[in-house]
Every structure is written in C-alpha cells, then in structure tokens.
C-alpha cells in the first residue's frame, strides 16, 4: 500500500499508487478514513493517476470515502481512474 496525501485549504488530496486489490483495500479504507478524521476537509480528492492495477476493491475504497464525506457534508472528487 502506497499513497501520498496533502491538504490545500479545505481540500485533502490522497494520491494512491501501485496495485489496488482485495489484499490492500481494507488498509486503504482505514487510512483514508483516518486522514479524513484528522483533517476534516470539505473536499476529498482521490487521485488514481499512479495506480497500475485496480479490481472492484477500488470501488469499495471510493464508496467508503463518499460515505464518510457525506457524514461531514463534504464532497469527493475521483480523478485519473485507470481504464
């Protein structure tokens, strides 16, 4: 599991890298939730630019992020999802 994150104002960007599958999805979900709890952003950007493989577990990561951000009345932006 590899990622970078940074905050600009009320926007938290989380850039995921490498392969995303059922082996690492739970850890990603937990880390993203912790980042959201820490920074309480209005907007959370999930950037998949450097993801080399993603199965349906990637969708679970996105849905989990959306659910948490809805609780905060925030927004999720998903960028650069691989084809």
């Amino acid at each position: 599991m590899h990622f970078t994150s940074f905050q600009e104002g009320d926007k938290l960007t989380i850039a995921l890298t490498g392969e995303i599958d059922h082996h690492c999805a739970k850890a990603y979900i937990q880390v993203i939730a912790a980042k959201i709890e820490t920074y309480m952003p209005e907007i959370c950007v999930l950037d998949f630019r450097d993801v080399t493989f993603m199965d349906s577990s990637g969708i679970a990561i996105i849905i989990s992020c959306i659910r948490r951000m809805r609780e905060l009345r925030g927004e999720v932006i998903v960028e650069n999802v691989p084809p």
Side-chain angles (χ1 to χ4, degrees), residues 18-70:
E19 296 185 0
I20 297 175
D21 58 19
H22 69 280
H23 296 290
C24 66
K26 185 175 180 179
Y28 269 125
I29 289 169
Q30 292 171 342
V31 168
I32 291 169
K35 291 285 184 184
I36 291 170
E37 287 298 316
T38 300
Y39 296 105
M40 302 295 280
E42 290 182 20
I43 300 170
C44 182
V45 178
L46 295 178
D47 187 347
F48 289 84
R49 176 174 303 140
D50 294 322
V51 172
T52 57
F53 171 81
M54 181 172 75
D55 65 11
S56 60
S57 299
I59 295 170
I61 293 169
I62 294 168
I63 290 171
S64 174
C65 185
I66 290 170
R67 287 181 177 157
R68 182 62 192 121
M69 288 300 294
R70 279 188 179 165

Side-chain angles (χ1 to χ4, degrees), residues 1 4-5 7 10 16 18 20 28-29 34-35 41 53 58 64 66-68 70-73 76 80 82-83:
M1 178 178 79
T4 58
S5 65
Q7 186 174 14
D10 291 332
L16 302 112
I20 297 175
Y28 269 125
I29 289 169
K35 291 285 184 184
F53 171 81
S64 174
I66 290 170
R67 287 181 177 157
R68 182 62 192 121
R70 279 188 179 165
E71 292 173 5
L72 300 175
R73 298 188 199 288
V76 175
N80 303 309

